[in-house]
Amino acid sequence: MSVKVENSFLVPASVEQAWTILTDLPRVAPCLPGAEITEIVDATTYRGRARVKIGPIELGFQGEARLHDVDPQLRTSRLTARGGDAKGRGSVHSQMRFALAGEGDHTRVHVHTELILAGSVAQYGRASGVVREVCNQLAAQFARNLAALIEGAGASTPSSAVSLSAWYPARCRAWSSAALEPTGRCSTG
């Protein structure tokens, strides 16, 4: 199962500050609910885990992520991640492209994600239509946590699995709040 997701959100920071934070994966990883870096392999490669819940099914992925194609002049980068469910129920591969642009004294972050799920994991998401919604919900929560981190409140670090069935109902519709104005579009391929 392949899913493509486009997201855009506004963070309360200059482009320089947002760039510094977003390219510091150990610092920004706690902003993604259910994610945790467990090992720094080198300056661009990290091992970690993520827990998600799709309906009654809780999945625990372990894998590796690599930050590459980092261009500080254009403020673009890529993050490639691969992981497998600890119980052997499937795998995930994602390719994310980030681009930052100044918008007044804030920064617009554009994210293009290509996500490939295999095994039972793909079936869980396909049957309930949750995967598309979960991607956008994760992006929305990430954006809120990133804003809190930038504003000095710190990012939330959930100790339990992220529930995708509760998370992604509003994923593919635009939304806004006082601090952030994320938008997202999903498509499956």
Side-chain angles (χ1 to χ4, degrees):
M1 170 185 214
S2 175
V3 178
K4 293 181 183 179
V5 183
E6 297 282 340
N7 294 99
S8 174
F9 54 89
L10 194 63
V11 294
S14 67
V15 174
E16 293 77 20
Q17 184 184 14
W19 175 256
T20 299
I21 292 170
L22 285 168
T23 55
D24 182 351
L25 291 188
R27 184 174 178 193
V28 78
C31 293
L32 186 62
E36 175 186 9
I37 291 179
T38 58
E39 179 184 351
I40 299 173
V41 177
D42 59 38
T44 61
T45 308
Y46 307 85
R47 290 197 180 106
R49 58 180 159 241
R51 295 187 324 157
V52 294
K53 188 172 183 181
I54 301 176
I57 310 296
E58 185 171 314
L59 302 167
F61 292 97
Q62 293 186 328
E64 190 168 278
R66 186 172 70 87
L67 187 64
H68 57 101
D69 297 342
V70 177
D71 187 331
Q73 300 301 328
L74 294 176
R75 303 279 200 260
T76 60
S77 64
R78 290 181 185 261
L79 181 69
T80 302
R82 290 183 179 271
D85 176 61
K87 295 182 180 178
R89 294 175 285 188
S91 63
V92 63
H93 174 257
S94 69
Q95 181 80 234
M96 301 173 75
R97 290 189 319 249
F98 298 90
L100 281 62
E103 221 173 271
D105 58 349
H106 289 68
T107 300
R108 174 71 57 186
V109 180
H110 299 279
V111 185
H112 173 80
T113 304
E114 294 181 35
L115 181 69
I116 299 171
L117 300 171
S120 298
V121 171
Q123 298 307 312
Y124 302 148
R126 178 170 287 169
S128 62
V130 164
V131 172
R132 285 178 288 167
E133 295 167 8
V134 170
C135 293
N136 286 319
Q137 183 64 36
L138 284 170
Q141 185 63 49
F142 175 82
R144 286 190 294 271
N145 290 341
L146 179 61
L149 175 69
I150 289 169
E151 293 174 339
S156 67
T157 5
S159 57
S160 61
V162 173
S163 176
L164 300 185
S165 57
W167 253 23
Y168 256 77
R171 172 60 186 116
C172 291
R173 63 179 180 245
W175 58 275
S176 66
S177 69
L180 302 171
E181 298 175 359
T183 62
R185 294 186 315 272
C186 299
S187 65
T188 58

